[in-house]
Amino acid sequence: MAILTFENVGLAYGGVSVAHDVSFRVNAGEFWGIIGENGSGKTTLMKALLGLIPCASGRIVMGEGLKPNEIGYLPQQSAIQKDFPASVEEVVLSGTIGYRGWKPFYGRRERAIADGNMEKLGLLPLKKDSFQELSGGQQQRVLLARALCATKKCLVLDEPTTGLDPVVTAEFYRMVREINKNGMTVIMVSHDVEEAVKCCSHILHLSCHPLFIGTTAEYKNSPVGRKYLQENAL
Amino acid sequence: MTDVISIFQNIPGIAIRAIVVGSLVSLCASLLGVTLVLKRYSMIGDGLSHVGFGALAIASVLQIGNASMAISLPIVMAAAFILMVLNEKRRMQGDAAIAVLSTGAIAIGTLLYRLSDGQYSQDVCNSLFGTSSINLLLESDMWIAIGVSVVVLTAFILFYTRIFSVTFDQTFAKATGVHVGVYSMMLAGLTAVTVVIGMKMIGAIMISGLIIFPALSAMRVTKRFKSVMITSAVLSLVCFAFGFFLSLVIGAQPGPAIIAVHVACFLICSLIGWLKTRKRARMSRSIIVEPECVDKMK
C-alpha cells in the first residue's frame, strides 16, 4: 500500500492556480525528487503535503499509519534564524513535539529519541553547543536530526543543500541516502536536477502540471529528462 | 539614606505595593520579551504602549481615572490582536502597521487630554513618563498584577516547549501540529496585559524597554534558549530593584530610573559578550593553526 497518494491535486497560492492534475503514489521506502524551476509549484505542493495549506482541489491520502503531523520536515536554510540562541539539544528535542501530547517538558522517551538521532548524525559531541555558532553544514545536520525526531516514516526536504559548499553537500546526500536505506521514505524538493537524478529512486518533474512521473532510470531516458539534463550539463 | 528608610517607614504599604507590582511586571515583561525579540516583534510592545496612552486619555475624558484599566485593557488587547493578524496575513507590513497605530493613538490621546478639563500637563506627563509618585498605584493594581503574572508564568511553564518551537521555526511547528496562531494570539494578549499594568508605573514611552532590554542583555551573555529565559528574568528583577532604589534615593520617577539601569546593564552585558566572542575567536584561531597544518603548508 502506498504511504502517500496524491489524487488529482490542484494547488493555488493567493487565489492563483500554481499546479494542477498532480496524481502519483509514493510507496514506503522510496526516495522521490520533486524537481522543477522556480514557480513550478513544487514548494506549494510540499506545503500542501505538510498540511500548511489546503489543496484547492483533489486530495492527499496518507497510508501505512502515517499521520499528518508525523512528517519530518527540513526547511530551506533561509527560513531559519541563524542568530537564534538555542543549544543543539534544544533544537533537536523540539522535533518531538508532535507526538508528545500535553506534557509541559521533555520526558525520558523524547530525550532518548533526540540522543539517538544526534548519535546517528554525529552530533552528540555538539549537543550542548550553541546552534548559532555552528557552520552552515552543521546547522543543516541539526535540523535534519530535528526532522528525524518528528517522524519514523516520512522525511520531506526543501532545497536541502542551498548555500552549502560541495563537500558538505556530498556528505549531506550521503547521510540522507543512508537514512533512506534504513527504510525511511524521503521526498526532496530541489531545483538541482543533477543531484536529484543521482540520489533519488523516483522523479516528479513539475511545471505547473507533472511533466514526468516515474523512476529515475526512466526519467534519464525520457524526452523531458534528456532535455533538462543536457541543458544543465551545458 | 535616612530619607529612604523614612520613606519605607512612613508608607510601607504603598512601597510594598510598588515593589510587588514592579517586580511582577518586570518578570512577565522579561519572559515575553525573549519571544517577542526573537520573533522580530519588539516594536509591538512599543506600539501597544502608545495605544495604551490613547486609552488612558479616553479614561481621563470620561473622568474614571481610578478605573482606567477597565478602559485601557480591552483597547490595548484589541490593538494587540489586530497587529498580530496584520503580521500573520501580511496585509500590511508589520512595522508600518505599528507606526500607524502608535502615532495615531498618541495624536488622539493628546487631543482628548486637551479636551478634558483635568490637569492636562500632569496627566499627560504621568501617562507618558510613568507615575510621579508611587502613591498613585492602587491596591487593585497590585491584585491585577499578581493575577496577570500567575497567568503569564503558568503559560510559560505549561507551554515552554511549544513556545520555543513556535519562536524558533513557525513553519516546522505548524507542520508538527502546533497551533501556531493560538500561541501568537496568546503572546499578543499577555503582552497587552503586561503593557497596560506596567505602563502606569514605568510610563507609556518606556514600558517597551522593560520588554526588550532584559532579553537583549541576556542574549549578549548566553546562547541557549533556556538560559536566555532565566537570565532575562533575573536581570529584569535585579534592574528593577536597583532602579526603584535609585529613584527613591534621588527622588526621581521610578520609570526613567529603572530603564536607565537597564541601559547600563545592557552595556555591561554587551561588553561581556564581546569579550567572550573575542576569547573564543582567539581560541579557534589557535586550534586551526596546528603544527601539522603548518608543516603541510610549508
Side-chain angles (χ1 to χ4, degrees), chain A residues 16-68:
Chain A
V16 184
S17 170
V18 292
H20 56 88
D21 297 323
V22 183
S23 298
F24 69 108
R25 287 157 60 110
V26 176
N27 291 310
E30 289 176 347
F31 190 158
W32 277 78
I34 301 179
I35 55 178
E37 279 151 20
N38 290 337
S40 59
K42 55 188 195 304
T43 302
T44 317
L45 184 71
M46 186 204 66
K47 281 185 181 161
L49 170 59
L50 293 170
L52 300 176
I53 54 164
C55 297
S57 61
R59 60 186 190 140
I60 301 170
V61 184
M62 296 184 177
E64 305 223 349
L66 182 69
K67 290 189 196 116

Side-chain angles (χ1 to χ4, degrees), chain B residues 217-271:
Chain B
S217 304
M219 277 178 227
R220 290 291 170 281
V221 290
T222 170
K223 306 283 178 201
R224 289 180 200 100
F225 195 71
K226 199 190 260 172
S227 44
V228 166
M229 280 278 188
I230 295 168
T231 312
S232 176
V234 171
L235 286 180
S236 191
L237 288 173
V238 170
C239 288
F240 167 75
F242 268 103
F244 190 70
F245 185 73
L246 182 73
S247 78
L248 292 180
V249 171
I250 61 175
Q253 288 153 293
I258 292 164
I259 298 298
V261 173
H262 271 293
V263 173
C265 173
F266 174 69
L267 292 176
I268 294 168
C269 288
S270 298
L271 182 68

Side-chain angles (χ1 to χ4, degrees), chain A residues 129-173:
Chain A
D129 282 17
S130 170
F131 178 74
Q132 56 175 267
E133 284 159 5
L134 302 180
S135 69
Q138 287 171 326
Q139 286 189 341
Q140 191 72 335
R141 250 192 295 157
V142 173
L143 297 175
L144 183 62
R146 177 184 68 160
L148 288 176
C149 283
T151 188
K152 289 186 185 70
K153 296 181 181 123
C154 182
L155 202 57
V156 173
L157 316 173
D158 186 9
E159 304 280 5
T161 56
T162 311
L164 300 182
D165 67 51
V167 177
V168 177
T169 301
E171 170 66 14
F172 179 81
Y173 280 125

